Every structure is written in structure tokens, then in C-alpha cells.
Amino acid sequence: MRVLVLRPEQTAARTARKLAALGHETVCLPLSKPEHDLDAVKAALAERHSAIAITSAEVARLFGRLGDAIDRHLLTTVFSVGQASADAASAAGFRTVLTPGGDGRDLADMIVAHCRDFGMPAEPILYLAGVPRARSFEARLAEAGIPFRTVEAYRMVPVVPRRTEAEAALLKPVPDAVLFYSGESARAFFTLSPLVEIPERFLSTLMLCMSANVAKAVPQRFAASTVIASSPNEESLLDLL
């Protein structure tokens, strides 16, 4: 299958290797890129906190850019959503990384259960977040009365491909499937010129979505070819191919 990947360049390369191992042809068309706020993360780590929470592997990759500033925090417990984020945090040197799999709500539920078993933390949990993001993780912690502090560690900035780039990726030939990891990338995809001008060319293209929330960004006319992963992780998404 010819599979279109819309992820940022670095993560798209990793996905492309996985797709190649499965025997698929990959076309990469990044529609966003991360901008890290290292100063904000360093300042946040310098303040007292009981644990660190991350809901994106992008934050874990950011740890590798902090140099010595991260060393004295490596014994701090990290609560991480998903195995990819957990693996990246472990690779950065953190000794204790806990993950439930699933999404931000699942991570919050795990933290609630942890606090029920071991007591409420004396210091807030430091949540290193991205922009944009879903608010379910923060809402669940607030609902449970667990102290936390949100610091925006990175921002996903839109990338608008040139028309020639979009046409080469989308029309030469039309992809058999598109992988949507976020609602933002899905919304950006459907504003590309080929989708606006000749949407009927893509009615047989599989629109593969990481979650039901992501699928909400797919226009109704493509509902028949939209498929949602059984779990919100890349392994389940690729299983749809």
C-alpha cells in the first residue's frame, strides 16, 4: 500500500521505517513541526515538584536537549501516556517511568489511583505539556483534587507545503491510506488544494485515525472510508493497514 504520513519530519522518519518493514510504500508530507521552549522547561524543573507527567513523546525527546540540567531529576518519577513516550523518557535517563498505555484520561486515572495508594503528594506534579492539546488529563486531575502545575514545553507550528509538494504526495499516485495522529493534522490535510479542488479522487483512500476524537476532524463525505484504531497508539493505528 502507498501510505501518506503527515507527522513532523523526525517522527515521520521513524514511522516510515516501521511501514517499510511491513512492506508498505511511505510518502511523508509534514504539516507541522515542534518548537521547544527549553527555558520554560528548565525554569519549571528548578521549582519544587513531586513527579513529572508527560502526554507526548515530544516532551521526552526535549529532555535530551537539556544537557546537565536534567541530571539531578532522573530519580523523579515520570508518569507517561503511551509506551512511545515512556520509552523516550527511559532513553533520556529517567529511572522510574510509569505508563498505563491509552490516552491522557487513562494517565490521569493512573495518577489518581497512585495517590489513593500512596497518599496525596506534598508538592505539585509538574505537567510538561504541548500546544495544542486535549484538556482531559488536566480536567481529571483537577476533579480529583490532585495538585499539579502545567508548563507548556513545546508548541506544534503549522507547516504549509508548496502546492507542487502537496500534488506530488497526493496525486502521483493517490495514496491508498492516510495516517492521522491528531485532529490538527486531519484538519490541515483537508485544506490542501487537491482535497479542496478534487475531493472525489480520495473517496476510496482509507482515512486511518488514532482515536475517535481525531476522526471527528474528518469530513462527513469521507465517513465510509474512515477507520478508528482500537487503542490510541501507533501500533494499533498501523494494525489497520
Side-chain angles (χ1 to χ4, degrees), residues 178-241:
V178 184
L179 302 181
F180 294 120
Y181 288 76
S182 70
E184 289 74 27
S185 65
R187 282 185 283 273
F189 174 75
F190 290 102
T191 66
L192 296 174
S193 54
L195 273 299
V196 173
E197 296 166 9
I198 45 174
E200 63 276 5
R201 292 283 300 275
F202 303 92
L203 290 176
S204 62
T205 298
L206 292 173
M207 307 295 176
L208 306 183
C209 301
M210 179 81 86
S211 69
N213 280 336
V214 173
K216 291 177 182 177
V218 178
Q220 183 60 35
R221 72 180 301 169
F222 299 100
S225 57
T226 299
V227 188
I228 300 170
S230 59
S231 298
N233 56 59
E234 185 173 59
E235 290 71 23
S236 296
L237 184 62
L238 298 186
D239 282 345
L240 298 176
L241 292 169

Side-chain angles (χ1 to χ4, degrees), residues 101-188:
D103 57 16
R105 181 81 181 189
D106 295 319
L107 180 64
D109 286 341
M110 185 183 75
I111 293 173
V112 171
H114 188 274
C115 292
R116 185 167 55 242
D117 293 341
F118 298 99
M120 200 68 75
E123 305 292 343
I125 294 171
L126 173 59
Y127 173 35
L128 296 176
V131 179
R133 66 181 179 275
R135 303 285 175 166
S136 56
F137 174 74
E138 292 158 285
R140 178 70 179 103
L141 291 188
E143 174 188 293
I146 296 173
F148 69 96
R149 181 162 51 91
T150 300
V151 172
E152 293 177 349
Y154 73 96
R155 176 180 296 274
M156 296 306 298
V157 179
V159 172
V160 181
R162 293 191 296 271
R163 185 184 181 94
T164 54
E165 293 174 330
E167 290 179 350
L170 295 172
L171 298 174
K172 300 179 181 179
V174 173
D176 298 300
V178 184
L179 302 181
F180 294 120
Y181 288 76
S182 70
E184 289 74 27
S185 65
R187 282 185 283 273

Side-chain angles (χ1 to χ4, degrees), residues 41-42 44-47 49 52 66 68-78 93-95 126:
V41 174
K42 288 178 181 179
L45 289 172
E47 296 188 30
H49 53 277
I52 297 171
L66 294 175
D68 296 343
I70 199 66
D71 289 350
R72 68 187 184 91
H73 301 283
L74 296 179
L75 295 180
T76 302
T77 297
V78 174
F94 285 93
R95 309 292 194 270
L126 173 59

